[in-house]
């Protein structure tokens, strides 16, 4: 089969790979579309050498058509349209046994630790495969994982109807969280802060009540002004590796100051930078800092919202490129073009 193969740091190109063989409890999926995620970019840049070995077939956001069904599989048939939850847990470590499968001590992901969606075919555990309704165009299948992540972030943050929520960062993750927040969690007020006008305008189209350009306004001052000095119920940090802006603190520092007393901060970004946090402020507020990692069974929720047309993948997927141009696609994402939010690869176009 053909696949987008990462041969070394920043060296990804179309190549040949063996077609996978399925086990009795697996299905063979002919991949249709796969998204380029922030994690894929970190791997491409050489930041996952402890987990990823070359050559590697990335892609953990993908969907396609079932082409073969293992003997022990029930409920799936050849020809089914599906998406795949890429998380493979051990089910025996302390985290798994306490229900935190996404924090498994030996967690593996299809497309990170194992071959994934940038290949024309992938062998996937049937237990991780979900039917994709006809109402969801296949090119948006990669967004199921993103919206599942959005659900998980909001669950971790214990966001309740009627709350004021601030999202720091209007990239792929931040906008996915916002889309789910605006159209399922019923926040009373949603505020998004970023430094890119295109992304802030996209946030407004998705449903944000207020957008803040951090180069033009101090986000902390603006949030406190909007909330009349009370602060937000929950601040969600989706920036990751941030760009320093003169006169602005690091996102996590801002978040701790933005929340109300007894508020919550959820951190979902995967930045390498260290952030100093004023813990006296955190203690006095008796606030919480909560981490959120990947997903934990939220695929069905994301699929239901998408099938009802409540979410806006058309606004978040800014480009669709053929797999034969995988090198150009990664180079484009790596450049950080502010008008690029989500790039989806047509896996069969080789």
């Amino acid at each position: 089969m053909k696949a987008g193969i990462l041969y070394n740091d920043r060296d990804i190109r179309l190549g040949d790979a063996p077609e996978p063989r399925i086990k009795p409890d697996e299905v063979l999926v002919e991949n249709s579309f796969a998204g380029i995620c922030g994690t894929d970019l970190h791997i491409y840049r050489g930041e996952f050498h402890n987990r990823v070995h070359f050559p590697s077939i990335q892609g953990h956001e993908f969907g396609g058509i079932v082409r073969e069904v293992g003997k022990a599989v029930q409920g799936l048939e050849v020809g089914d349209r599906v998406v795949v939850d890429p998380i493979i847990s051990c089910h025996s470590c302390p985290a798994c046994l306490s229900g935190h499968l996404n924090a498994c001590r030996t967690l593996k992901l299809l497309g990170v630790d194992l071959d994934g969606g940038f290949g024309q075919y992938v062998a996937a555990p049937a237990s991780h495969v979900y039917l994709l309704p006809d109402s969801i165009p296949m090119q948006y299948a990669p967004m199921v994982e993103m919206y599942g992540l959005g659900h998980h972030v909001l669950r971790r943050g214990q966001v309740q109807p009627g709350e004021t929520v601030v999202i720091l960062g209007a990239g792929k993750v931040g906008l996915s969280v916002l889309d789910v927040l605006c159209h399922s969690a019923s926040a009373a007020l949603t505020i998004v802060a970023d430094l890119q006008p295109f992304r802030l305008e996209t946030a407004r189209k998705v449903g944000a009540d207020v957008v803040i350009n951090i180069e033009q306004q101090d986000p902390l001052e603006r949030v406190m002004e909007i909330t009349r000095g009370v602060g937000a119920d929950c601040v969600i940090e989706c920036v990751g590796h941030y760009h320093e802006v003169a006169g602005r603190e690091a996102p996590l520092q801002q978040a701790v100051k933005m929340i109300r007393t007894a508020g919550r901060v959820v951190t979902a970004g995967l930045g390498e930078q260290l952030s100093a946090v004023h813990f006296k402020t955190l203690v006095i507020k008796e606030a919480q800092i909560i981490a959120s990692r990947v997903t934990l069974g939220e695929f069905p929720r994301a699929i239901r919202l998408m099938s009802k047309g409540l979410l806006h993948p058309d606004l978040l997927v800014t480009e669709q490129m053929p797999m034969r141009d995988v090198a150009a696609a990664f180079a484009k994402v790596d450049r950080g073009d502010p008008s690029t939010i989500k790039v989806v690869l047509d896996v069969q176009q080789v």
Side-chain angles (χ1 to χ4, degrees):
M1 69 174 183
K2 294 293 184 180
I5 301 174
L6 185 67
Y7 293 97
N8 210 325
D9 298 345
R10 285 189 162 88
D11 180 12
I12 189 168
R13 45 199 154 89
L14 194 67
D16 294 300
E19 186 173 314
R21 294 184 177 182
I22 62 171
K23 300 175 183 177
D25 61 348
E26 294 180 333
V27 297
L28 184 69
V29 178
E30 182 181 18
N31 297 322
S32 298
F33 291 90
I36 299 178
C37 175
T39 300
D40 295 318
L41 188 60
H42 287 299
I43 296 170
Y44 172 79
R45 290 172 173 170
E47 300 169 17
F48 272 62
H49 285 173
N50 61 325
R51 288 178 62 180
V52 176
H53 305 285
F54 304 127
S56 171
I57 301 176
Q58 295 172 249
H60 61 273
E61 306 167 350
F62 62 96
I65 307 296
V66 174
R67 293 305 183 201
E68 187 179 348
V69 178
K71 295 179 180 179
V73 174
Q74 296 182 345
L76 292 169
E77 299 179 355
V78 171
D80 283 342
R81 305 169 82 248
V82 297
V83 290
V84 180
D85 184 342
I87 297 173
I88 311 295
S89 306
C90 73
H91 296 274
S92 60
C93 72
C96 285
L97 293 175
S98 64
H100 292 266
L101 302 179
N102 59 323
C104 172
R105 185 171 177 271
T106 58
L107 183 74
K108 297 185 185 304
L109 267 73
L110 295 172
V112 177
D113 310 278
L114 307 167
D115 288 347
F118 292 167
Q120 288 184 298
Y121 296 92
V122 68
S127 58
H128 290 53
V129 174
Y130 295 89
L131 293 173
L132 188 70
D134 291 338
S135 58
I136 301 176
M138 187 59 81
Q139 64 263 34
Y140 296 141
M143 289 303 299
V144 173
E145 200 271 349
M146 292 299 300
Y147 286 132
L149 186 151
H151 273 286
H152 187 66
V153 167
L154 296 173
R155 287 178 64 193
R156 291 290 291 162
Q158 306 163 48
V159 174
Q160 301 297 315
E163 291 194 322
T164 296
V165 180
V166 178
I167 297 175
L168 302 180
K172 296 179 284 291
V173 175
L175 290 172
S176 297
V177 173
L178 175 69
D179 211 354
V180 176
L181 174 63
C182 289
H183 304 287
S184 70
S186 302
L189 183 64
T190 52
I191 304 169
V192 177
D194 200 285
L195 52 74
Q196 300 292 354
F198 175 79
R199 295 183 179 188
L200 289 172
E201 181 57 29
T202 302
R204 196 187 298 278
K205 291 177 181 178
V206 169
D209 296 300
V210 179
V211 298
I212 302 170
N213 187 319
I214 66 173
E215 290 187 318
Q216 299 173 3
Q217 295 178 297
D218 185 315
L220 175 58
E221 290 182 0
R222 185 74 179 104
V223 168
M224 298 312 288
E225 177 188 355
I226 293 168
T227 61
R228 299 187 178 185
V230 173
D233 298 287
C234 183
V235 177
I236 301 171
E237 184 274 305
C238 297
V239 179
H241 190 87
Y242 60 89
H243 298 282
E244 293 187 8
V245 177
R248 307 286 184 257
E249 294 180 313
L252 195 57
Q253 290 175 281
Q254 296 177 28
V256 169
K257 294 180 179 180
M258 280 180 188
I259 50 173
R260 62 167 171 81
T261 52
R264 292 100 56 203
V265 173
V266 182
T267 178
L270 286 176
E272 294 292 334
Q273 293 150 306
L274 299 177
S275 295
V277 173
H278 192 236
F279 276 90
K280 183 177 180 180
T281 300
L282 197 68
V283 171
I284 289 174
K285 289 184 176 182
E286 198 178 53
Q288 301 177 64
I289 296 181
I290 306 161
S292 180
R293 184 186 187 191
V294 292
T295 61
L296 182 59
E298 288 93 358
F299 269 51
R301 301 182 187 203
I303 291 170
R304 282 195 292 270
L305 283 183
M306 292 179 72
S307 68
K308 291 179 179 294
L310 297 175
L311 303 180
H312 302 82
D314 55 311
L315 294 177
L316 273 57
V317 176
T318 49
E319 277 136 308
Q320 180 179 312
M321 299 177 70
M323 181 57 74
R324 60 177 172 269
D325 293 338
V326 62
F330 265 82
K332 184 178 185 65
V333 176
D334 192 27
R335 286 194 298 270
D337 184 341
S339 65
T340 297
I341 297 174
K342 189 70 174 179
V343 174
V344 167
L345 295 171
D346 186 335
V347 181
Q348 299 301 319
Q349 292 296 315
V350 296

